[in-house]
Amino acid sequence: MVEGKNVLTDVKQIMAILPDGGVATRVIRALKEEKGILSANQISCRGVGAIGKRTHKGFRQPPPKALKMLAVVVPAAQADEVFDFVFEQTLLEIRI
């Protein structure tokens, strides 16, 4: 530890793009309640799919939609477990 400062070492960042509408907030709440993770960020953004719809004149880009980007920094030893947890919670939320 550096004098008077907490230094993160051996960590991984997990990021997910989620639909807008409270999904990211509920996943963050589950991370806190079930995994004890107290720090996560959600960022509002707009995005489109990688491939537009094909038309007779080429590809038409769909209009962008509101999304949330979720970012969580965790110890490297917990990264796989937390990634799986975020994935499972997201599937429950968006009901794929």
Side-chain angles (χ1 to χ4, degrees):
M1 183 157 102
V2 178
E3 290 181 42
K5 296 186 180 189
N6 291 330
V7 178
L8 295 176
T9 58
D10 202 21
V11 296
K12 291 192 176 183
Q13 183 175 30
I14 298 168
M15 299 183 80
I17 305 296
L18 305 172
D20 200 12
V23 175
T25 301
R26 290 188 292 274
V27 171
I28 289 171
R29 187 176 302 122
L31 283 166
K32 178 182 177 186
E33 292 171 358
E34 297 182 36
K35 296 294 179 187
I37 294 174
L38 301 177
S39 180
N41 297 303
Q42 62 176 314
I43 302 152
S44 297
C45 50
R46 297 189 66 74
V48 296
I51 300 175
K53 294 182 179 180
R54 179 130 174 106
T55 66
H56 67 282
K57 294 181 183 179
F59 287 96
R60 180 175 53 99
Q61 193 71 6
K65 50 182 153 177
L67 302 167
K68 293 285 186 178
M69 183 172 64
L70 172 68
V72 184
V73 177
V74 297
Q78 288 181 295
D80 289 337
E81 175 188 349
V82 173
F83 177 86
D84 291 340
F85 181 81
V86 169
F87 182 77
E88 290 167 8
Q89 288 297 310
T90 302
L91 287 179
L92 290 173
E93 284 291 331
I94 60 176
R95 294 165 181 83
I96 291 181

